Amino acid sequence: MRTNPFKGYGVALVTPFLENGDVDYAALSRLVDFQIDNGADFICAMGTTAETPTLDEDEYQQVLRTIVKCVDGRVPIMAGCSDNCTARLVRRLQNNCFDGVSAVLSCVPSYNKPSQNGVYQHFMAVAEASPLPIVLYNVPGRTGIDMLPETTLSLARDSQKFIAIKEASGNVAHIRQLISEAPSGFEVISGDDSLTFELMQYGAVGVISVIGNAIPQTFSRLVHNISSGDIAAARSIQEKLSSLYGLLFKEGNPCGIKALMSERGLLMNSMRLPMTAVSAELEGKIRDGFKSIGV
């Protein structure tokens, strides 16, 4: 029987960079401890929020190994591993080192815009090659296509390798269908901070969060309150955070969250092109929004 260890509050961990563009491994280790000390139930490494498309293969491995070493078994780790070339992704899954990782997070292929059958065949090839369970990732705003519920459910029924899906389509009706029709052991994880309050009440088992990079204690409390049934307390936090959600993504991710993390002294506000620091105007709005929540 498949089991999903990724429940509750998870963070899509950023990759901190120095001013010269090198990875700041010391800050990365501090961020891992900061998350676990403040309520993280699991870590999602090497996703888009980590600016993984700008890392070369050696950096990918070194960043992942740094995270695994720092976590030291305290919480489960999922590692992003995606590609829009199925054959290349198969080779990466077969050749990369995933020691200390509990599952792979793999995104719908971007840019190619395959049919639903193409998406299905892609992920079945991934399942065949992967040494680990797989969390599917549907984010049409980035990939250009939406993996429909019927495709997701077919994958979940046809292979036990698929243990969950990170849903960031924003289509609540489709996500509710996935939750209600999912086969045993296959679960839905929110991929949108702003929708987590709603989706967890429908049956999503947790979130892979961006905003939690800067305020893990606050956002983990929202998630854990929902899990324990204290909806009033969770709603109070949701209302406080509502003004920040949109601001953090207005000029791209992780640009907004890095601005907020820099404001909190957690890292340098550095990114790799094509991502750039947010405008001074937006940075001011993020700062004001943060102050208003009283953390």
Side-chain angles (χ1 to χ4, degrees):
M1 290 291 293
R2 60 185 155 197
T3 57
N4 169 34
F6 303 103
K7 302 174 192 286
Y9 164 64
V11 63
L13 196 68
V14 304
T15 302
F17 297 112
L18 300 168
E19 274 188 314
N20 65 2
D22 291 345
V23 175
D24 187 346
Y25 290 101
L28 179 61
S29 295
R30 290 194 299 269
L31 291 178
V32 171
D33 286 336
F34 178 62
Q35 287 298 319
I36 296 174
D37 291 345
N38 285 280
D41 298 301
F42 64 92
I43 301 288
C44 178
M46 318 313 297
T48 313
T49 304
E51 297 175 75
T52 305
T54 71
L55 301 176
D56 63 33
E57 277 299 320
D58 288 342
E59 288 174 321
Y60 175 99
Q61 286 294 336
Q62 190 170 350
V63 169
L64 182 56
R65 299 269 51 88
T66 299
I67 293 168
V68 168
K69 182 179 179 181
C70 191
V71 169
D72 193 26
R74 289 179 288 173
V75 296
I77 301 169
M78 71 170 75
C81 194
S82 304
D83 205 308
N84 60 355
C85 171
T86 306
R88 186 167 56 222
L89 178 55
V90 164
R91 289 193 295 271
R92 290 182 66 202
L93 288 165
Q94 291 171 336
N95 296 328
N96 283 2
C97 174
F98 292 105
D99 292 349
V101 175
S102 297
V104 166
L105 175 72
S106 200
C107 189
V108 172
S110 63
Y111 188 71
N112 297 357
K113 299 185 76 171
S115 67
Q116 294 297 303
N117 180 55
V119 173
Y120 174 88
Q121 296 293 343
H122 170 85
F123 279 125
M124 289 302 289
V126 169
E128 178 93 17
S130 178
L132 294 172
I134 299 159
V135 177
L136 299 165
Y137 183 16
N138 186 37
V139 56
R142 288 190 179 275
T143 63
I145 60 164
D146 186 7
M147 182 164 66
L148 299 179
E150 292 77 15
T151 304
T152 303
L153 292 167
S154 292
L155 288 165
R157 293 179 186 124
D158 292 348
S159 175
Q160 293 285 307
K161 275 281 184 76
F162 303 113
I163 59 172
I165 182 168
K166 177 186 177 184
E167 251 295 344
S169 66
N171 190 323
V172 174
H174 281 184
I175 297 170
R176 291 188 70 177
Q177 180 184 349
L178 286 176
I179 293 168
S180 65
E181 298 180 18
S184 177
F186 184 83
E187 296 177 312
V188 175
I189 303 168
S190 172
D192 283 309
D193 287 329
S194 62
L195 288 179
T196 299
F197 176 77
E198 180 178 4
L199 295 180
M200 285 191 68
Q201 291 181 77
Y202 293 138
V205 297
V207 62
I208 298 172
S209 172
V210 172
I211 196 171
N213 276 284
I215 51 171
Q217 189 176 69
T218 301
F219 202 70
S220 67
R221 195 161 65 245
L222 181 149
V223 172
H224 296 149
N225 281 337
I226 299 171
S227 297
S228 67
D230 193 345
I231 303 303
R235 180 178 288 110
S236 175
I237 298 170
Q238 172 77 356
E239 290 170 353
K240 289 179 181 178
L241 297 180
S242 60
S243 63
L244 262 181
Y245 290 138
L247 291 174
L248 294 179
F249 288 86
K250 193 167 185 178
E251 293 181 8
N253 181 44
C255 310
I257 192 61
K258 280 194 167 181
L260 180 52
M261 295 175 78
S262 177
E263 172 71 16
R264 298 210 67 191
L266 297 170
L267 46 61
M268 300 184 70
N269 192 16
S270 297
M271 278 139 285
R272 286 183 174 176
L273 288 171
M275 310 313 292
T276 59
V278 299
S279 64
E281 180 184 5
L282 180 57
E283 188 172 3
K285 290 179 179 179
I286 290 171
R287 187 184 303 115
D288 291 343
F290 171 63
K291 290 177 181 176
S292 72
I293 66 177
V295 173

